[in-house]
Structures are given as structure tokens and as C-alpha cells.
């Protein structure tokens, strides 16, 4: 533990009753003040020595006040959304039309079938790149081939899937 953290922890233990009263005035109740003071202890444990804190008492009280204000604002937002009984318009995600969801599901089924039709190596390269977002160079190293070969396999997979998705016979 750093020297700043040690000194602030000792000060927190000594000043705890005063800090609790300060935090309780801000958040409005004792149990919440206890929670914020506990959060303060965790925050103090992660403080580095650089830069050195000159006025540790002022720093600790400012930190406690900031945490209490943040907690009070978050609690107010929570109550305004969940206790009012109505959600703000921007919080409600619009549902896609039923036909769009059905079309998306059908396209996904076609895509999965198209992937099953690919040779195993081509399918694996496609999944590693497009699903797992693995860099082309890393895939090439894994298969022991050049970057150009991986790009060729990706191109073949994409063209195959695109052809299946846009097949007029479906």
C-alpha cells in the first residue's frame, strides 16, 4: 500500500464519525451514509503516491463530499425513473416490426446454412475474423499460411454467403 493510502486510511479511521455525519447530511440517511463511507475506504486504498497529497484531511473530506454527491445524484436519477411509474421516452427502445424480426431470423437461418456449406477451413477463417474479430495476421499465423491466402478464403466465404442471401429461388 502506498504512503498516501496508508496515511489516508489512518485518517479515515480517526475521522470516521465526522465523515459519517457529513455524508449523512448530503445523502439523507444513515444506512446510505455507511455505504458511501465504505466506498470511500475502498477508494482511499487505491490512491497512489504520485502526486503526494499535502493536506490529507482536506483531501479526504473533499473525496467524501464528492462520493456522497455522486451517490445522491444517482439515487435521485434512479427514483425519478423507477418510482414515478413511467419511463422517459428515450429510455424505451422501439421494437422492430414483426415482419422485420421474421425477415432477420430467416436471413440468419440462411446465413448459418451457407456457413455450413463452406469447407471447414474457410468457415473457421470466416468465424475467426468476422465473429471473433481476430486480426488477419494472427489467423494466418495460426494456419501457417500467408495473409493473402486468408484474404482469399475470407473473400470466398463472403461471396458464398452473399450469393445464398440474395438467391432468387429462396
Amino acid at each position: 500500500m502506498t504512503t498516501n493510502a496508508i496515511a489516508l486510511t489512518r485518517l479515515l479511521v480517526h475521522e470516521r464519525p465526522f465523515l459519517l455525519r457529513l455524508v449523512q447530511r448530503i445523502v439523507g440517511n444513515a444506512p446510505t451514509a455507511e455505504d458511501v463511507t465504505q466506498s470511500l475506504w475502498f477508494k482511499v486504498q487505491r490512491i497512489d503516491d504520485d502526486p503526494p497529497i499535502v493536506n490529507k484531511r482536506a483531501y479526504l473530506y473533499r473525496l467524501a463530499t464528492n462520493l456522497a454527491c455522486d451517490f445522491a445524484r444517482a439515487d435521485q436519477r434512479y427514483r425519478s425513473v423507477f418510482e414515478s411509474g413511467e419511463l422517459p421516452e428515450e429510455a424505451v427502445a422501439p421494437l422492430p416490426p414483426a415482419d422485420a424480426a421474421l425477415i432477420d431470423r430467416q436471413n440468419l437461418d440462411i446465413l448459418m446454412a451457407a456457413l455450413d456449406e463452406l469447407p471447414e477451413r474457410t468457415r473457421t477463417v470466416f468465424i475467426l475474423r468476422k465473429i471473433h474479430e481476430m486480426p488477419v495476421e494472427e489467423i494466418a499465423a495460426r494456419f501457417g499460411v500467408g495473409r493473402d491466402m486468408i484474404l482469399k478464403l475470407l473473400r470466398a466465404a463472403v461471396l458464398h454467403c452473399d450469393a445464398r442471401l440474395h438467391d432468387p429461388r429462396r
Side-chain angles (χ1 to χ4, degrees):
M1 197 179 323
T2 65
T3 55
N4 275 339
I6 292 169
L8 287 169
T9 301
R10 287 184 182 142
L11 188 59
L12 174 61
V13 169
H14 182 263
E15 298 282 327
R16 190 172 189 284
F18 305 108
L19 288 165
L20 269 171
R21 280 197 297 274
L22 168 71
V23 170
Q24 186 173 346
R25 279 195 311 266
I26 296 169
V27 297
N29 62 57
T32 303
E34 287 284 346
D35 290 344
V36 171
T37 305
Q38 183 67 33
S39 295
L40 176 64
W41 185 86
F42 285 117
K43 196 156 190 81
V44 163
Q45 301 308 304
R46 294 187 307 265
I47 293 177
D48 291 329
D49 279 339
D50 190 32
I53 299 170
V54 178
N55 188 342
K56 291 179 178 37
R57 187 171 189 274
Y59 183 88
L60 185 64
Y61 275 81
R62 172 53 59 196
L63 195 57
T65 302
N66 289 347
L67 280 174
C69 289
D70 290 347
F71 198 96
R73 277 192 297 272
D75 187 54
Q76 184 179 13
R77 280 192 308 271
Y78 175 86
R79 279 188 276 119
S80 72
V81 170
F82 292 105
E83 291 180 1
S84 69
E86 14 181 291
L87 290 174
E89 191 172 311
E90 64 272 5
V92 180
L95 291 175
D99 58 339
L102 180 61
I103 291 169
D104 288 345
R105 182 66 205 169
Q106 288 172 342
N107 285 340
L108 180 60
D109 290 343
I110 292 167
L111 180 62
M112 296 305 291
L115 287 174
D116 286 341
E117 295 168 357
L118 291 171
E120 184 178 344
R121 184 166 133 172
T122 305
R123 180 177 51 249
T124 303
V125 166
F126 180 84
I127 290 170
L128 288 174
R129 180 68 187 127
K130 298 298 184 180
I131 307 297
H132 298 288
E133 299 179 345
M134 188 180 286
V136 172
E137 291 76 16
E138 194 173 321
I139 299 170
R142 178 181 277 195
F143 282 94
V145 297
R147 182 179 192 280
D148 289 340
M149 175 55 87
I150 298 302
L151 292 174
K152 181 180 175 184
L153 292 171
L154 281 171
R155 193 173 310 112
V158 169
L159 289 173
H160 177 77
C161 291
D162 187 57
R164 291 295 181 266
L165 284 170
H166 295 98
D167 187 354
R169 295 174 288 166
R170 64 176 181 122

